[in-house]
Coordinates of all heavy atoms in Angstrom, one line a residue:
M1185 N 0.9 -1.2 0.0 CA 0.0 0.0 0.0 C 0.9 1.2 0.0 O 1.8 1.3 0.8 CB -0.9 0.0 1.2 CG -1.8 1.2 1.3 SD -3.0 0.9 2.7 CE -4.3 2.0 2.1
E1186 N 0.5 2.2 -0.9 CA 1.3 3.4 -1.0 C 1.1 4.3 0.2 O 0.0 4.6 0.6 CB 1.0 4.1 -2.3 CG 1.8 5.3 -2.6 CD 1.5 5.9 -4.0 OE1 0.7 5.3 -4.7 OE2 2.1 7.0 -4.2
E1187 N 2.2 4.9 0.7 CA 2.1 5.8 1.9 C 1.6 7.1 1.5 O 1.8 7.6 0.4 CB 3.5 5.9 2.4 CG 3.5 6.8 3.7 CD 4.9 6.9 4.3 OE1 5.7 6.0 4.0 OE2 5.1 7.9 5.0
R1188 N 0.7 7.7 2.3 CA 0.2 9.0 2.1 C 1.1 10.1 2.8 O 1.3 10.1 4.0 CB -1.2 9.2 2.7 CG -2.2 8.3 2.0 CD -3.5 8.2 2.7 NE -4.4 7.3 2.2 CZ -5.2 7.5 1.1 NH1 -5.2 8.7 0.6 NH2 -6.0 6.5 0.6
T1189 N 1.8 10.9 2.0 CA 2.7 11.9 2.5 C 2.3 13.3 1.9 O 1.7 13.4 0.9 CB 4.1 11.6 2.1 OG1 4.3 11.5 0.7 CG2 4.5 10.2 2.7
E1190 N 2.8 14.3 2.6 CA 2.5 15.7 2.1 C 3.3 15.8 0.8 O 4.4 15.3 0.6 CB 3.1 16.7 3.1 CG 2.3 16.7 4.4 CD 0.8 17.1 4.2 OE1 0.5 18.0 3.4 OE2 -0.1 16.5 4.8
L1191 N 2.7 16.4 -0.2 CA 3.2 16.6 -1.5 C 4.0 17.9 -1.6 O 3.6 18.9 -1.1 CB 2.1 16.7 -2.5 CG 2.4 17.0 -4.0 CD1 3.1 15.7 -4.6 CD2 1.2 17.3 -4.7
Q1192 N 5.2 17.8 -2.1 CA 5.9 19.0 -2.5 C 5.5 19.3 -3.9 O 5.1 18.5 -4.7 CB 7.4 18.8 -2.4 CG 7.9 18.4 -1.0 CD 7.7 19.4 0.0 OE1 7.9 20.6 -0.3 NE2 7.2 19.1 1.2
D1193 N 5.5 20.6 -4.3 CA 5.1 20.9 -5.6 C 6.0 20.0 -6.6 O 7.2 19.8 -6.4 CB 5.5 22.4 -5.9 CG 4.4 23.3 -5.3 OD1 3.4 22.8 -4.6 OD2 4.6 24.6 -5.4
R1194 N 5.4 19.5 -7.6 CA 6.1 18.7 -8.5 C 5.4 18.7 -9.9 O 4.3 19.2 -10.1 CB 6.2 17.3 -8.0 CG 4.9 16.5 -7.9 CD 5.1 15.2 -7.4 NE 3.9 14.4 -7.7 CZ 3.8 13.1 -7.5 NH1 4.8 12.4 -7.1 NH2 2.7 12.4 -7.8
T1195 N 6.1 18.0 -10.8 CA 5.4 17.7 -12.2 C 5.2 16.3 -12.2 O 6.0 15.4 -11.6 CB 6.3 18.2 -13.3 OG1 7.6 17.6 -13.3 CG2 6.5 19.7 -13.3
M1196 N 4.2 15.9 -13.0 CA 4.0 14.4 -13.1 C 3.4 14.3 -14.6 O 2.8 15.2 -15.1 CB 3.0 13.9 -12.1 CG 1.6 14.5 -12.1 SD 0.5 14.0 -10.8 CE 0.5 12.2 -11.0
T1197 N 3.7 13.2 -15.2 CA 3.3 12.8 -16.5 C 2.3 11.6 -16.4 O 2.6 10.6 -15.7 CB 4.4 12.4 -17.4 OG1 5.4 13.5 -17.4 CG2 4.0 12.1 -18.8
V1198 N 1.1 11.9 -17.0 CA 0.1 10.8 -17.0 C -0.4 10.7 -18.4 O -0.8 11.7 -19.0 CB -1.1 11.2 -16.1 CG1 -2.2 10.3 -16.2 CG2 -0.6 11.5 -14.7
D1199 N -0.3 9.5 -18.9 CA -0.8 9.2 -20.3 C -0.2 10.2 -21.3 O -0.8 10.6 -22.3 CB -2.3 9.2 -20.4 CG -3.0 8.2 -19.6 OD1 -2.3 7.2 -19.2 OD2 -4.2 8.3 -19.3
G1200 N 1.1 10.5 -21.1 CA 1.9 11.3 -22.0 C 1.7 12.8 -21.9 O 2.2 13.6 -22.6
E1201 N 0.8 13.2 -20.9 CA 0.6 14.6 -20.7 C 1.3 15.0 -19.3 O 1.2 14.2 -18.4 CB -0.9 14.9 -20.6 CG -1.7 14.6 -21.9 CD -1.3 15.5 -23.1 OE1 -0.7 16.6 -22.8 OE2 -1.5 15.0 -24.2
T1202 N 1.8 16.2 -19.3 CA 2.5 16.7 -18.1 C 1.8 17.7 -17.4 O 1.2 18.7 -18.0 CB 3.9 17.2 -18.5 OG1 4.6 16.2 -19.2 CG2 4.7 17.6 -17.3
F1203 N 1.7 17.6 -16.0 CA 1.0 18.5 -15.2 C 2.0 19.0 -14.1 O 2.8 18.3 -13.6 CB -0.2 17.7 -14.4 CG -1.3 17.3 -15.3 CD1 -1.2 16.1 -16.0 CD2 -2.4 18.1 -15.5 CE1 -2.2 15.6 -16.8 CE2 -3.4 17.7 -16.3 CZ -3.3 16.4 -16.9
A1204 N 1.8 20.3 -13.7 CA 2.4 20.8 -12.5 C 1.4 20.6 -11.4 O 0.2 20.9 -11.6 CB 2.8 22.3 -12.7
V1205 N 1.8 20.0 -10.2 CA 0.9 19.8 -9.2 C 1.3 20.5 -8.0 O 2.4 20.5 -7.6 CB 0.8 18.3 -8.9 CG1 -0.3 18.0 -7.8 CG2 0.5 17.5 -10.1
H1206 N 0.4 21.3 -7.4 CA 0.6 22.1 -6.2 C -0.4 21.7 -5.1 O -1.6 21.8 -5.4 CB 0.6 23.6 -6.5 CG 0.5 24.5 -5.3 ND1 1.6 24.8 -4.5 CD2 -0.5 25.2 -4.7 CE1 1.3 25.6 -3.6 NE2 0.0 25.8 -3.7
Q1207 N 0.1 21.4 -3.9 CA -0.8 21.1 -2.8 C -1.0 22.4 -2.0 O 0.0 23.0 -1.6 CB -0.3 20.0 -1.9 CG -1.3 19.7 -0.8 CD -0.9 18.5 0.1 OE1 0.2 17.9 -0.2 NE2 -1.6 18.2 1.1
R1208 N -2.2 22.8 -1.9 CA -2.4 24.1 -1.0 C -2.0 23.8 0.4 O -2.2 22.7 1.0 CB -3.9 24.5 -1.1 CG -4.3 24.9 -2.5 CD -5.7 25.3 -2.5 NE -6.1 25.5 -3.9 CZ -7.4 25.8 -4.3 NH1 -8.4 26.0 -3.3 NH2 -7.7 26.0 -5.5
P1209 N -1.3 24.8 1.1 CA -0.8 24.6 2.4 C -1.8 24.5 3.5 O -1.5 24.0 4.6 CB 0.1 25.8 2.6 CG -0.4 26.8 1.7 CD -1.0 26.1 0.5
K1210 N -3.0 25.1 3.3 CA -4.0 25.1 4.5 C -5.2 24.4 4.1 O -5.6 24.3 2.9 CB -4.2 26.5 4.9 CG -3.0 27.2 5.4 CD -3.3 28.6 5.9 CE -2.1 29.3 6.4 NZ -2.3 30.6 6.8
G1211 N -5.9 23.9 5.1 CA -7.3 23.3 4.9 C -7.2 21.9 4.5 O -6.0 21.2 4.6
P1212 N -8.2 21.2 4.1 CA -8.2 19.8 3.7 C -7.3 19.7 2.5 O -7.1 20.7 1.7 CB -9.6 19.5 3.4 CG -10.3 20.8 3.1 CD -9.6 21.9 3.9
P1213 N -6.7 18.5 2.3 CA -5.8 18.3 1.1 C -6.5 18.7 -0.2 O -7.5 18.2 -0.6 CB -5.6 16.8 1.1 CG -5.8 16.4 2.6 CD -6.9 17.3 3.0
T1214 N -5.9 19.7 -0.9 CA -6.4 20.3 -2.1 C -5.3 20.5 -3.0 O -4.2 21.0 -2.6 CB -7.1 21.7 -1.8 OG1 -8.2 21.5 -0.9 CG2 -7.7 22.3 -3.1
Y1215 N -5.5 20.1 -4.3 CA -4.4 20.0 -5.2 C -4.8 20.8 -6.5 O -5.9 20.6 -7.1 CB -4.0 18.6 -5.6 CG -3.7 17.8 -4.5 CD1 -4.7 17.1 -3.8 CD2 -2.4 17.6 -4.1 CE1 -4.4 16.3 -2.7 CE2 -2.1 16.8 -2.9 CZ -3.1 16.2 -2.2 OH -2.8 15.4 -1.1
D1216 N -3.9 21.7 -6.9 CA -4.1 22.5 -8.1 C -3.2 21.9 -9.3 O -2.0 21.8 -9.1 CB -3.8 23.9 -8.0 CG -4.7 24.6 -7.0 OD1 -5.9 24.4 -7.1 OD2 -4.2 25.3 -6.0
F1217 N -3.8 21.4 -10.3 CA -3.1 20.8 -11.4 C -3.1 21.8 -12.6 O -4.2 22.3 -13.1 CB -3.9 19.6 -11.9 CG -3.8 18.3 -11.0 CD1 -4.6 18.3 -9.8 CD2 -3.1 17.3 -11.3 CE1 -4.5 17.3 -9.0 CE2 -3.0 16.1 -10.5 CZ -3.8 16.1 -9.4
T1218 N -1.9 22.1 -13.1 CA -1.8 22.9 -14.4 C -1.3 22.0 -15.4 O -0.3 21.3 -15.3 CB -0.8 24.1 -14.2 OG1 -1.3 24.9 -13.0 CG2 -0.8 24.9 -15.4
W1219 N -2.1 21.9 -16.6 CA -1.8 21.1 -17.6 C -0.7 21.7 -18.5 O -1.0 22.6 -19.4 CB -3.1 20.8 -18.5 CG -3.0 19.8 -19.5 CD1 -2.1 18.9 -19.8 CD2 -4.0 19.6 -20.6 NE1 -2.4 18.1 -20.9 CE2 -3.6 18.6 -21.4 CE3 -5.3 20.2 -20.8 CZ2 -4.4 18.1 -22.4 CZ3 -6.0 19.7 -21.9 CH2 -5.6 18.7 -22.7
L1220 N 0.5 21.3 -18.3 CA 1.7 22.0 -19.0 C 1.7 21.7 -20.5 O 2.2 22.5 -21.3 CB 2.9 21.6 -18.3 CG 3.0 22.0 -16.8 CD1 4.4 21.5 -16.2 CD2 2.9 23.5 -16.7
T1221 N 1.3 20.5 -20.9 CA 1.4 20.1 -22.3 C 0.1 20.3 -23.1 O 0.0 19.9 -24.2 CB 1.9 18.6 -22.4 OG1 1.1 17.8 -21.7 CG2 3.3 18.5 -21.9
G1222 N -0.9 20.9 -22.4 CA -2.2 21.1 -23.1 C -2.2 22.2 -24.0 O -1.3 23.0 -24.0
P1223 N -3.2 22.3 -24.9 CA -3.2 23.3 -25.9 C -3.6 24.8 -25.4 O -3.4 25.7 -26.1 CB -4.3 22.8 -26.9 CG -5.2 22.0 -26.1 CD -4.3 21.4 -25.0
N1224 N -4.1 24.8 -24.1 CA -4.5 26.1 -23.6 C -3.7 26.5 -22.4 O -3.8 25.9 -21.3 CB -6.0 26.0 -23.2 CG -6.8 25.6 -24.4 OD1 -6.9 26.3 -25.4 ND2 -7.5 24.5 -24.3
E1225 N -2.8 27.4 -22.5 CA -1.9 27.8 -21.5 C -2.6 28.1 -20.2 O -3.6 28.8 -20.1 CB -1.0 29.1 -21.9 CG 0.0 29.4 -21.0 CD 0.8 30.6 -21.4 OE1 0.8 30.9 -22.7 OE2 1.5 31.2 -20.6
G1226 N -2.1 27.6 -19.1 CA -2.6 27.8 -17.8 C -3.8 27.0 -17.4 O -4.4 27.2 -16.3
Y1227 N -4.3 26.2 -18.3 CA -5.6 25.5 -18.1 C -5.3 24.2 -17.2 O -4.2 23.6 -17.2 CB -6.2 25.0 -19.4 CG -7.6 24.5 -19.3 CD1 -8.6 25.3 -18.9 CD2 -7.9 23.1 -19.6 CE1 -9.9 24.8 -18.8 CE2 -9.2 22.6 -19.6 CZ -10.2 23.5 -19.2 OH -11.5 23.0 -19.1
G1228 N -6.2 23.9 -16.4 CA -6.1 22.8 -15.5 C -7.3 22.5 -14.6 O -8.4 22.9 -15.0
F1229 N -7.1 22.0 -13.5 CA -8.3 21.6 -12.6 C -7.8 21.5 -11.1 O -6.5 21.6 -10.9 CB -8.9 20.3 -13.0 CG -8.1 19.1 -12.7 CD1 -8.3 18.3 -11.6 CD2 -7.1 18.7 -13.6 CE1 -7.5 17.1 -11.4 CE2 -6.3 17.6 -13.4 CZ -6.5 16.8 -12.3
T1230 N -8.7 21.5 -10.2 CA -8.4 21.4 -8.8 C -9.1 20.1 -8.3 O -10.2 19.7 -8.7 CB -8.9 22.6 -8.0 OG1 -8.2 23.7 -8.5 CG2 -8.7 22.4 -6.5
S1231 N -8.4 19.3 -7.4 CA -8.9 18.2 -6.8 C -8.8 18.3 -5.3 O -7.7 18.7 -4.8 CB -8.1 16.9 -7.3 OG -8.7 15.7 -6.7
A1232 N -9.9 18.1 -4.6 CA -9.9 18.2 -3.2 C -10.3 16.9 -2.5 O -11.1 16.2 -3.0 CB -10.8 19.4 -2.7
V1233 N -9.8 16.7 -1.3 CA -10.2 15.5 -0.6 C -11.3 15.9 0.5 O -11.0 16.8 1.3 CB -9.0 14.8 0.2 CG1 -9.4 13.7 1.0 CG2 -7.9 14.5 -0.7
H1234 N -12.4 15.3 0.4 CA -13.5 15.7 1.3 C -13.6 14.6 2.4 O -13.6 13.4 2.1 CB -14.8 15.8 0.5 CG -14.7 16.9 -0.5 ND1 -14.8 18.2 -0.2 CD2 -14.6 16.8 -1.9 CE1 -14.7 18.9 -1.3 NE2 -14.6 18.1 -2.3
G1235 N -13.8 15.1 3.6 CA -14.1 14.1 4.7 C -12.8 13.5 5.3 O -12.8 12.5 6.0
S1236 N -11.6 13.9 4.9 CA -10.4 13.3 5.3 C -9.3 14.4 5.4 O -9.3 15.3 4.6 CB -9.9 12.2 4.3 OG -8.6 11.7 4.7
T1237 N -8.3 14.2 6.2 CA -7.2 15.1 6.3 C -6.0 14.4 5.7 O -4.9 15.0 5.6 CB -6.9 15.5 7.7 OG1 -6.6 14.4 8.5 CG2 -8.0 16.4 8.3
A1238 N -6.1 13.1 5.2 CA -5.0 12.4 4.7 C -4.8 12.9 3.2 O -5.6 13.0 2.4 CB -5.3 10.9 4.7
P1239 N -3.5 13.2 2.9 CA -3.2 13.6 1.5 C -3.4 12.4 0.6 O -3.4 11.3 0.9 CB -1.7 14.0 1.6 CG -1.2 13.4 2.8 CD -2.3 13.1 3.8
L1240 N -3.5 12.8 -0.7 CA -3.6 11.7 -1.7 C -2.3 11.1 -2.0 O -1.3 11.7 -1.9 CB -4.2 12.4 -3.0 CG -5.6 12.9 -3.0 CD1 -5.9 13.6 -4.4 CD2 -6.6 11.9 -2.7
T1241 N -2.4 9.8 -2.5 CA -1.2 9.1 -2.8 C -0.8 9.5 -4.3 O -1.7 10.1 -5.0 CB -1.4 7.6 -2.8 OG1 -2.4 7.2 -3.8 CG2 -1.8 7.1 -1.4
G1242 N 0.4 9.1 -4.7 CA 0.8 9.4 -6.1 C -0.2 8.7 -7.1 O -0.6 9.3 -8.1
A1243 N -0.7 7.5 -6.8 CA -1.6 6.8 -7.6 C -2.9 7.5 -7.7 O -3.6 7.6 -8.8 CB -1.8 5.4 -7.2
E1244 N -3.4 8.1 -6.6 CA -4.6 8.8 -6.5 C -4.5 10.2 -7.4 O -5.5 10.6 -8.0 CB -5.1 9.1 -5.1 CG -5.5 7.9 -4.4 CD -5.7 8.0 -2.9 OE1 -4.9 8.8 -2.3 OE2 -6.5 7.3 -2.3
L1245 N -3.4 10.8 -7.2 CA -3.1 12.0 -8.1 C -3.2 11.7 -9.6 O -3.8 12.4 -10.3 CB -1.8 12.6 -7.7 CG -1.8 13.2 -6.3 CD1 -0.4 13.6 -6.0 CD2 -2.6 14.5 -6.2
E1246 N -2.5 10.6 -9.9 CA -2.6 10.1 -11.3 C -4.0 9.8 -11.8 O -4.4 10.2 -12.9 CB -1.7 8.9 -11.5 CG -0.2 9.2 -11.4 CD 0.6 7.9 -11.7 OE1 0.2 6.9 -12.2 OE2 1.8 8.0 -11.3
E1247 N -4.8 9.2 -10.9 CA -6.2 8.9 -11.2 C -7.0 10.2 -11.5 O -7.8 10.3 -12.4 CB -6.8 8.1 -10.1 CG -8.2 7.6 -10.4 CD -8.7 6.8 -9.3 OE1 -8.0 6.0 -8.7 OE2 -10.0 7.0 -8.9
A1248 N -6.7 11.2 -10.7 CA -7.5 12.4 -10.9 C -7.0 13.1 -12.2 O -7.9 13.6 -12.9 CB -7.1 13.4 -9.7
A1249 N -5.8 13.1 -12.6 CA -5.3 13.7 -13.8 C -5.9 12.8 -15.0 O -6.4 13.4 -16.0 CB -3.8 13.7 -13.9
R1250 N -5.9 11.6 -14.8 CA -6.5 10.7 -16.0 C -8.0 11.0 -16.1 O -8.5 11.0 -17.3 CB -6.3 9.2 -15.6 CG -6.5 8.3 -16.7 CD -5.9 6.9 -16.4 NE -4.5 6.9 -16.6 CZ -3.6 6.7 -15.7 NH1 -4.0 6.4 -14.5 NH2 -2.3 6.8 -16.0
G1251 N -8.7 11.1 -15.0 CA -10.1 11.5 -15.1 C -10.3 12.8 -15.8 O -11.3 12.9 -16.6
F1252 N -9.5 13.8 -15.5 CA -9.6 15.1 -16.2 C -9.4 14.9 -17.7 O -10.1 15.4 -18.5 CB -8.5 16.0 -15.6 CG -8.3 17.3 -16.4 CD1 -9.2 18.3 -16.3 CD2 -7.1 17.4 -17.2 CE1 -9.0 19.5 -17.0 CE2 -6.9 18.6 -17.9 CZ -7.8 19.6 -17.8
L1253 N -8.3 14.2 -18.1 CA -8.0 14.0 -19.5 C -9.1 13.3 -20.2 O -9.4 13.6 -21.4 CB -6.7 13.2 -19.6 CG -5.4 14.0 -19.2 CD1 -4.2 13.1 -19.2 CD2 -5.1 15.2 -20.1
E1254 N -9.8 12.4 -19.6 CA -10.9 11.6 -20.2 C -12.1 12.6 -20.5 O -12.8 12.3 -21.4 CB -11.4 10.5 -19.3 CG -10.4 9.4 -19.2 CD -10.7 8.3 -18.2 OE1 -11.8 8.5 -17.5 OE2 -10.0 7.3 -18.1
E1255 N -12.2 13.7 -19.9 CA -13.3 14.7 -20.1 C -12.9 15.8 -21.1 O -13.8 16.6 -21.3 CB -13.7 15.2 -18.7 CG -14.2 14.2 -17.7 CD -15.4 13.5 -18.2 OE1 -16.3 14.2 -18.8 OE2 -15.6 12.3 -18.0
I1256 N -11.7 15.8 -21.5 CA -11.3 16.9 -22.5 C -11.9 16.6 -23.9 O -11.8 15.5 -24.4 CB -9.7 16.9 -22.5 CG1 -9.2 17.4 -21.2 CG2 -9.3 17.8 -23.7 CD1 -9.6 18.8 -20.8
D1257 N -12.4 17.7 -24.5 CA -12.8 17.7 -25.8 C -11.6 17.9 -26.7 O -11.0 18.9 -26.6 CB -13.8 18.8 -26.1 CG -14.3 18.9 -27.5 OD1 -13.7 18.4 -28.4 OD2 -15.4 19.6 -27.7
P1258 N -11.2 16.9 -27.6 CA -10.0 17.0 -28.3 C -10.0 18.2 -29.3 O -9.0 18.7 -29.7 CB -9.9 15.7 -29.0 CG -11.2 15.0 -28.9 CD -11.9 15.6 -27.7
A1259 N -11.2 18.6 -29.7 CA -11.3 19.7 -30.7 C -11.0 21.1 -30.0 O -10.5 22.0 -30.7 CB -12.7 19.8 -31.3
T1260 N -11.3 21.2 -28.7 CA -11.0 22.5 -28.1 C -9.9 22.5 -27.0 O -9.4 23.5 -26.7 CB -12.3 23.0 -27.4 OG1 -12.6 22.1 -26.3 CG2 -13.5 23.1 -28.3
G1261 N -9.6 21.3 -26.5 CA -8.7 21.2 -25.4 C -9.2 21.6 -24.1 O -8.5 21.7 -23.1
F1262 N -10.5 21.9 -24.0 CA -11.2 22.3 -22.7 C -12.1 21.1 -22.4 O -12.4 20.2 -23.1 CB -12.0 23.5 -22.9 CG -11.2 24.8 -23.1 CD1 -11.1 25.4 -24.4 CD2 -10.5 25.3 -22.1 CE1 -10.4 26.5 -24.5 CE2 -9.7 26.5 -22.3 CZ -9.7 27.1 -23.5
L1263 N -12.6 21.1 -21.1 CA -13.6 20.2 -20.7 C -14.8 20.1 -21.6 O -15.3 21.1 -22.0 CB -14.0 20.4 -19.3 CG -13.0 20.1 -18.2 CD1 -13.5 20.6 -16.8 CD2 -12.6 18.6 -18.1
S1264 N -15.2 18.8 -21.9 CA -16.4 18.7 -22.7 C -17.6 19.2 -22.0 O -17.7 19.1 -20.8 CB -16.5 17.2 -23.0 OG -17.7 16.9 -23.8
E1265 N -18.5 19.7 -22.9 CA -19.7 20.2 -22.3 C -20.8 19.2 -22.2 O -22.0 19.5 -21.9 CB -20.2 21.4 -23.1 CG -19.2 22.6 -23.0 CD -19.7 23.8 -23.7 OE1 -21.0 24.0 -24.0 OE2 -19.0 24.7 -24.0
D1266 N -20.5 18.0 -22.6 CA -21.5 16.9 -22.5 C -21.9 16.5 -21.1 O -21.2 16.5 -20.2 CB -21.0 15.6 -23.3 CG -20.8 15.8 -24.7 OD1 -21.4 16.8 -25.3 OD2 -20.1 15.0 -25.3

């Protein structure tokens, strides 16, 4: 089982796409992802942990990024409106 540790700002690559990941310093574990290799500069998403103070594991962060990518409209590079 992967250990849950505080995240230092880092980059991660998921399915060939690179994200800068920043964990907010206060409050429940909240992560801001900036899609570095996406077509829209500065675009990304935020993932927060509700009901827990335990930080996400690396695998959970990857799962969040993968879920985001699955929702992207390839024609626009933004979240699909479906």
